[in-house]
Amino acid sequence: MNASSGVRSLDGGDEYLSIAETAARLRLSPKRVRNLMSAGVLKCGYHFFRTEGIGPRFKWSRIVEWMEGREASPPGNDVARRSLCRVDLSLIPALRDKRNGL
């Protein structure tokens, strides 16, 4: 973690930001960032990643590419990338039971 900015860097180079941190850097509201995620403008598995327990984290270099309009089409299979962002509720017993009315 960079002590001066409070921003985490997992590989020593690229920064991974929360929704609030991303919104602050872009001078947007957190709700606007969530709307961009929901609309598919910011793509899970490319612009941001979901990790259980910490919420989505945005890769800042990909956000900069998007802002500057120099973003290439995200690589890889779109179906495979979306699978990174889904939670299989059947694997969580409490949610499975609730959904089945138990």
Side-chain angles (χ1 to χ4, degrees):
M1 180 181 292
N2 182 333
S4 63
S5 68
V7 177
R8 291 161 295 287
S9 176
L10 300 180
D11 62 1
D14 210 355
E15 298 171 321
Y16 289 84
L17 307 171
S18 68
I19 290 175
E21 292 165 334
T22 302
R25 283 196 177 191
L26 296 175
R27 296 184 179 155
L28 299 172
S29 70
K31 179 159 179 53
R32 178 67 177 135
V33 173
R34 283 189 213 91
N35 287 344
L36 291 169
M37 294 166 65
S38 294
V41 174
L42 298 177
K43 296 179 179 12
C44 188
Y46 188 75
H47 297 104
F48 67 95
F49 303 87
R50 293 186 188 273
T51 302
E52 187 176 332
I54 66 168
R57 291 293 182 256
F58 293 84
K59 193 167 187 175
W60 184 245
S61 63
R62 302 264 173 88
I63 300 299
V64 170
E65 288 175 4
W66 169 71
M67 287 291 297
E68 293 177 351
R70 56 187 172 92
E71 170 181 65
S73 178
N77 183 335
D78 191 46
V79 172
R81 188 174 54 255
R82 280 194 314 251
S83 70
L84 295 171
C85 301
R86 290 194 182 135
V87 175
D88 184 356
L89 297 180
S90 68
L91 299 176
I92 304 170
L95 293 176
R96 182 183 58 228
D97 294 346
K98 185 175 182 178
R99 190 173 59 190
N100 292 332
L102 301 175

